[in-house]
Structure formats: C-alpha cells, structure tokens
Amino acid sequence: MSDRSLLVVVLAAGEGTRMKSRLPKVLHKVAGRSMLHHVLAATRAAGATRTAVVVGPGREDVAAEATRIVPDAQVFVQTERLGTAHAVLAARAALEQGADDVLVLYADTPLVRPETLARLRAPLAEGAAVAALGFEPEDPTGYGRLVTSGDELVAIREEKDATTAEKAIRFCNAGLMALAGKDALSILDRIGNANSKGEYYLTDAVEIARADGRPAVAAKADADEVAGVNSRIQLAEAEAILQQRLRRAAMAEGVTLIAPETVFFSADTVLGRDVIVEPNVVFGPGVTVGDDVVIHAFCHLEGAHLEPGVSIGPYARLRPGTRLEAGVRIGNFVETKAAHIESGAKVNHLSYVGDAHVGAGANLGAGTITCNYDGFSKYRTEIGAGAFIGVNSALVAPVTIGAGAYVGTGAVITSDVPEDALAIARSRQVVKEGWAREFRAARAEAKKKA
C-alpha cells in the first residue's frame, strides 16, 4: 500500500483523571517511551504520510512531544470534549487536505503493532469505506460489540443498547478505525449526537457508510495489543506486556537472558548477538550493545554505547554519554557518565569516571574518582593510553594524566602529569577556615554578573 497516501489522526486530548497525575496521561512512559511516542512510531512504521495529533486545551507539553517525534505533525486543539467523532473533526483542516486512507488511533493504546494497522487499513484499498478494529477479550462485559454479517460489519453496538443476542457476541470494538479518505469528512459530518450523553460517536460511522451503500468491515487484533491505559494499574500491565515482547525479540535475535523476567528493556534498546545479560539488569533509553558483551547482574544502563567484547558489572551504572570501546572492563560498583573509555582499559571496582576520556589499556584502581564538578561547573579529565591510576586517587579536573604515567596510591592530583611520569601527592591535612563560604559567595556573584 506504499502507493496510497495515509493520514493518521491520533486522539491525545483525554484528561486521564484516573492516573491521578499532573503529567498528561499520554506522556506516561512504557518501556522508556511515552505512550504517544509508541503510537506515533507504529504509525510511521505503518506508512503514515501525514500525521495529525488532537490535544486538549493548554496541553503544549503533549503538542511538543508530538512534534519532537514527528516534526511535521499538525497539532489541533479539541476545545470541548464532545465525543470521539468530535475529536477527529478537530483535525478538519488535515482531513480537508485529503488522503487515500485515514487512520484514527488513540494515544493511550501504546501496544498496537504496525502490521495490525496495515491489516486494518487494507480493506480500504479494496473499496471499503470504514474498517473497525476488533478483539475478543476474556470477558466482553462493558465493551461495544461488532455486529457482523458474513464479511461485512453491520454495526458497532454499545453494550447498553445491545440486545440479548448481541451481548452474546464476543467480538468487541477496540476503538481504532480506518476511513476511506474520499468519504471521511462526509461521514464524520453526518454523525449526530442523539444519544443519552449528547456526544458524537465515531462508531456511528459504520451505519452511515452502510446507508450510503458503502461496505464496512472489521479487522481483528489480539486483546493485549489494543489494551487502553487509563490507570497506573493498566500502565503496569502494558509495561509487562511490552517487556515480554522485547525479551522474546532479544532472545530470538541471539541474546542470552539468564532470567528474562528480571531484565527490563527500553523500546529503543539495541543488542548484538551472543550478548549475555545476567539477572536484574535495567536498560534505560538510548543503549546500544555490540556483539559478545557480558552484562553482569544488577547493572543499570542509560544513554550508553558498548562496543564488542565489553564486560560490565555486577552492580555497574552507566549513565548517558558513556562510550566503552572493545574489550573494556567495568567492574562492580563503578559509575560512568559522559566518559569515553578506549579499548582494553579497565575500571574494575568502586570508582566514578565522569566527564572523562580514558586511553586504551589504562588501568584505574579501586576508588579512583574524577572530580568533575565544583558545585557550579563541570570539567574534563584526560587519562592517556596505558596510564596506571593507584587506588583511592582523586583526579581534580581539569587535569591530564599523560600516556604511560603512574599515579601513586591515595593521591590527590590537581596538576597535569607528564607522559611516563610518577605522581605522588600525599601531604598532611590543611584546614582553611571560611574558605568554602567565600568560594560560594564569589561564584554566586560571578554568576549574577554573567
């Protein structure tokens, strides 16, 4: 269907009161991404050529997330909440621009797959005016029923309006719908609000299309895939479903998960082959792992790039900006941040390496700290190839340790160390009364003048 244009209208104006949160419902995250991000990613993979996102009044944060993900997305505001069809018509300007196909999705349904959207859309190319997505829940109570006759969808009946026979139907409405672009506005404009709530329901599109002599059909999805999220409980359920998907996908591509149920991925985690992940590991957003990497138990990674043959942990924390080249060893209770560590270097235990560059083959002893922050600004540490840093050393940035240099145990290094030199910095304790107070005052004054 690549030759057919596709407009996607994503409804993201719900208040989400059951979430009991100051954060808009659709910005709550599943596997490290907002629910809105998941839906927009699925639509792009399904071939969306244009995207419209309908938000509530004053929801600049939702609009910003939409355009961050799809920069050319059109954002519309639904000023009143008068039903699903009314919400779609908030994007009238996008609908008027025309498209072969129109998909209507909900930003709080984050688990829908691109292939399901393609299957929902497919009947439009064969002449259908409307296609609705259905599923079969364990308990259909409370859901609208999809009333079918052969291959045709006759109506979407709300449970309160259903006959006894219709209530026995297990094929239920998931809410997602596809409309033929040439018919969409005509159908939507004729949806009325003669119901108990006085709202305009998108489900009425089925009977309007049939009254025009145009076919309506239903497509089917798994129940898990179309689960909506309206509470923290349902958010946790969606997280569990997606984590199971991600674990299975990782193992299918050659990753060993020792205890899969204890490993948590982000939606964008990238893993090479023959990676081994031990129990209780968390991958935050932005992690890329090369082949033959071993991640020991109880590690947390975010915004990190690991090249082949790296080993980390147990109990390592890699923060954003970490880049570990081939064969690097990061041991237990080590934290890195904005650190580029070259091939074969070792930071084996109890160390913090932040805002630093560590050369190939360097060895940082236990308790090595790069002192990168003075309370106001961050500074970098440069450690040359083959350097050896003794245990319990503090490298006070900005500072450079030359290639092949040695830093003695317990040193506090405040000046550059030349290549192949030995630096020993131990002295008796000196206390300067009031120095810290004067330092803070001076920096605060300088900041005011800046």
Side-chain angles (χ1 to χ4, degrees):
M1 291 186 292
S2 58
D3 59 334
R4 294 177 63 84
S5 60
L6 172 61
L7 168 65
V8 175
V9 180
V10 179
L11 304 185
E15 293 183 330
T17 54
R18 279 192 280 165
M19 298 295 286
K20 300 188 184 303
S21 174
R22 289 183 295 275
L23 186 70
K25 176 174 66 171
V26 302
L27 297 188
H28 282 265
K29 292 182 178 181
V30 179
R33 282 181 174 174
S34 70
M35 291 193 281
L36 176 59
H37 189 161
H38 281 287
V39 173
L40 291 174
T43 64
R44 283 187 297 176
T49 48
R50 288 192 296 115
T51 302
V53 180
V54 178
V55 305
R59 287 273 62 118
E60 288 80 9
D61 45 3
V62 177
E65 174 75 344
T67 54
R68 182 184 71 83
I69 300 156
V70 182
D72 61 352
Q74 295 175 274
V75 177
F76 300 92
V77 178
Q78 184 187 15
T79 54
E80 298 180 275
R81 291 178 174 83
L82 298 177
T84 48
H86 178 264
V88 177
L89 282 171
R92 179 182 291 275
L95 292 162
E96 288 174 342
Q97 292 174 39
D100 293 319
D101 305 333
V102 176
L103 275 180
V104 179
L105 309 179
Y106 296 85
D108 60 359
T109 309
L111 303 180
V112 65
R113 300 176 190 266
E115 51 266 37
T116 298
L117 298 180
R119 194 165 63 251
L120 174 62
R121 178 189 174 195
L124 303 182
E126 299 171 2
V130 176
L133 191 63
F135 68 109
E136 292 187 4
E138 291 184 8
D139 180 5
T141 304
Y143 292 106
R145 307 304 205 274
L146 298 186
V147 182
T148 59
S149 176
D151 294 333
E152 291 197 26
L153 176 62
V154 176
I156 302 177
R157 194 81 70 218
E158 294 303 319
E159 186 174 65
K160 64 180 183 301
D161 301 321
T163 65
T164 301
E166 289 171 340
K167 288 179 180 178
I169 296 171
R170 299 192 60 83
F171 195 25
C172 297
N173 181 33
L176 287 70
M177 184 174 286
L179 301 164
K182 63 186 180 63
D183 300 313
L185 267 176
S186 171
I187 291 172
L188 290 166
D189 279 334
R190 284 181 286 159
I191 292 176
N193 66 342
N195 53 64
S196 59
K197 289 189 175 181
E199 294 186 350
Y200 301 86
Y201 295 132
L202 186 60
T203 51
D204 291 348
V206 172
E207 293 183 75
I208 291 174
R210 286 178 56 81
D212 288 345
R214 297 296 310 283
V217 298
K220 189 175 181 180
D222 292 337
D224 285 348
E225 192 175 351
V226 294
V229 175
N230 295 296
S231 68
R232 307 280 184 150
I233 294 170
Q234 292 173 339
L235 186 70
E237 292 169 348
E239 182 77 41
I241 293 167
L242 187 50
Q243 288 300 332
Q244 185 69 355
R245 281 188 198 173
L246 294 170
R247 292 165 189 151
R248 287 181 174 275
M251 291 187 286
E253 290 300 315
V255 175
T256 294
L257 304 181
I258 303 299
E261 70 280 3
T262 71
V263 177
F264 290 84
F265 293 108
S266 284
D268 64 351
T269 303
V270 177
L271 301 174
R273 291 192 174 180
D274 292 313
V275 171
I276 298 174
V277 184
E278 292 185 355
N280 299 297
V281 173
V282 176
F283 294 86
V287 176
T288 302
V289 178
D291 296 345
D292 303 303
V293 168
V294 177
I295 301 174
H296 293 285
F298 295 99
C299 290
H300 189 285
L301 304 83
E302 181 179 356
H305 176 79
L306 283 62
E307 295 186 7
V310 164
S311 174
I312 71 166
Y315 295 97
R317 183 186 183 196
L318 307 187
R319 292 170 57 194
T322 293
R323 179 186 171 193
L324 308 181
E325 291 191 7
V328 165
R329 167 78 171 120
I330 299 293
N332 50 291
F333 301 104
V334 172
E335 179 179 348
T336 63
K337 188 271 294 183
H340 177 189
I341 302 180
E342 292 187 354
S343 59
K346 298 177 182 178
V347 189
N348 273 326
H349 27 236
L350 302 164
S351 296
Y352 170 70
V353 183
D355 296 290
H357 177 264
V358 179
N363 187 93
L364 279 61
T368 297
I369 302 295
T370 59
C371 307
N372 59 327
Y373 184 51
D374 65 2
F376 294 89
S377 301
K378 298 285 181 71
Y379 303 94
R380 288 192 63 78
T381 296
E382 296 285 338
I383 300 173
F388 184 96
I389 312 299
V391 300
N392 290 327
S393 294
L395 310 180
V396 183
V399 70
T400 296
I401 310 299
Y406 266 60
V407 172
T409 297
V412 177
I413 301 299
T414 58
S415 300
D416 292 352
V417 179
E419 292 185 7
D420 298 316
L422 169 64
I424 300 173
R426 307 186 189 101
S427 63
R428 65 184 179 86
Q429 180 173 310
V430 176
V431 176
K432 296 184 178 182
E433 296 286 347
W435 183 93
R437 180 176 60 253
E438 293 169 4
F439 173 73
R440 287 192 295 269
R443 293 307 300 263
E445 184 63 28
K447 191 173 182 180
K448 287 180 183 178
K449 293 178 180 178

